Amino acid sequence: MTTSHDTRLGRLDRLRRPEYTGENRCVPCTAVNAALALGVAGAFAAAGRTGLAAVALAASFAAIWLRGYLVPGTPELTKRYLPERALRLFGKGREPAPPTEIDAESYLLSADVLVDTPDGTDLAFAPWFASAWGDALDGLRLDAGLADATSPVTEADDVGDVAALATLTGVEEASLSFDWREGAAFAFADGQRIGHWESRAAFLADIAADRALTDRLDDWTALPLAARSGVLGALRLFVAECPACEGSVTLEERVVESCCASYDVVAGRCVACDARLFEVELPPSLAAE
């Protein structure tokens, strides 16, 4: 027998939008709609219509709770008009690149880490660096906890990764930790985020490059950490073989999209293990081509 309670629940279920509620609820969209609801209710209250203000506020928040938004088209409106700075407050915007004190490409060229390709149309690893980077990767693959970068990260892997991160950053190992989310690595020092890698393969690429540059360049370890991070990230743009499985790295253009943001990127991805080595946002002029 169907009760009135069941009927009401059925009606509520028809109103729900699971793609925008529950675990899928977008905090920026919810915040924008809540602010609009408060503004409308405030306008009614200012006009002396407090009863209508209370009804409007209750109805608005009920709609936001059930549907995820109040104003139709909110996801597209938020994506188009909410400033990037506001999105970052909710963890939705793109992280700004860390400030560096040097131009990464100029530094790598002046240090003969990068050289022109034979046809002069691109840059590539200098032979000495390609050899040193490969040797460093071989050493990492033999290290405990760093042997198989294509498998899911285990507790033993995390120990090895943290030790490597401590060497890279000069930060005490005890204060460092990793949070792995869908294959991407987020590094923390005393709970504060200090780095992000698209994959464990990308992390290994940076660790190996840091070891190679430390052995060869006298000024490398004297550079600020932000500058070294920028240089290591730039080097990953020229990786031709995956550090994890030695598969070929190819370039792909794609659109990174959420309910609040959309932007075009070019990414380097291994065709064998699908590890992503880097992701760079395309300027609007190139993305439009």
Side-chain angles (χ1 to χ4, degrees):
M1 182 177 67
T2 302
T3 66
S4 59
H5 177 70
D6 293 331
T7 301
R8 288 194 297 270
L9 288 178
R11 290 173 180 171
L12 287 178
D13 286 338
R14 286 195 294 271
L15 291 173
R16 294 182 194 277
R17 296 291 301 274
E19 65 268 34
Y20 297 122
T21 57
E23 293 182 354
N24 297 323
R25 183 178 295 279
C26 172
V27 177
C29 291
T30 301
V32 169
N33 279 264
L36 290 173
L38 290 171
V40 171
F44 283 130
R49 309 183 70 177
T50 55
L52 187 56
V55 171
L57 189 61
S60 297
F61 277 104
I64 294 170
W65 176 64
L66 287 169
R67 299 177 62 81
Y69 58 84
L70 174 64
V71 180
T74 286
E76 286 299 321
L77 293 173
T78 305
K79 184 186 300 182
R80 182 173 299 179
Y81 297 113
L82 198 64
E84 186 73 24
R85 182 174 56 184
L87 290 173
R88 284 200 297 269
L89 292 175
F90 298 100
K92 290 283 187 175
R94 290 155 283 171
E95 290 289 339
T100 61
E101 297 180 4
I102 62 173
D103 178 81
E105 184 175 310
S106 297
Y107 176 82
L108 292 169
L109 286 170
S110 65
D112 293 324
V113 177
L114 293 178
V115 294
D116 290 319
T117 54
D119 60 8
T121 61
D122 202 355
L123 298 174
F125 288 168
W128 76 264
F129 178 77
S131 176
W133 185 70
D135 290 343
L137 280 175
D138 289 340
L140 288 173
R141 294 186 184 109
L142 294 175
D143 286 349
L146 291 171
D148 186 359
T150 62
S151 301
V153 179
T154 65
E155 184 177 347
D157 294 331
D158 201 51
V159 171
D161 291 344
V162 166
L165 181 64
T167 302
L168 174 68
T169 61
V171 177
E172 286 290 332
E173 190 172 329
S175 68
L176 296 172
S177 62
F178 275 102
D179 181 13
W180 292 89
R181 306 173 196 168
E182 299 180 354
F186 298 85
F188 297 85
D190 291 324
Q192 297 295 314
R193 181 169 157 180
I194 60 171
H196 162 243
W197 286 268
E198 288 84 352
S199 65
R200 194 152 178 261
F203 175 69
L204 292 183
D206 282 4
I207 296 298
D210 175 68
R211 293 187 178 185
L213 295 176
T214 297
D215 290 342
R216 179 66 177 252
L217 304 183
D218 294 335
D219 65 339
W220 174 246
T221 56
L223 294 177
L225 178 59
R228 283 185 281 129
S229 296
V231 171
L232 295 175
L235 272 173
R236 267 186 273 131
L237 301 177
F238 304 96
V239 172
E241 291 186 354
C242 176
C245 72
E246 300 182 337
S248 297
V249 176
T250 61
L251 298 181
E252 61 180 22
E253 290 187 24
R254 66 191 188 97
V255 178
V256 176
E257 190 163 0
S258 71
C259 62
C260 297
S262 176
Y263 50 98
D264 296 275
V265 300
V266 60
R269 186 183 297 275
C270 174
V271 298
C273 69
D274 204 38
R276 197 173 58 203
L277 272 295
F278 63 85
E279 185 175 275
V280 180
E281 183 180 357
L282 284 174
S285 58
L286 292 179
E289 293 181 358

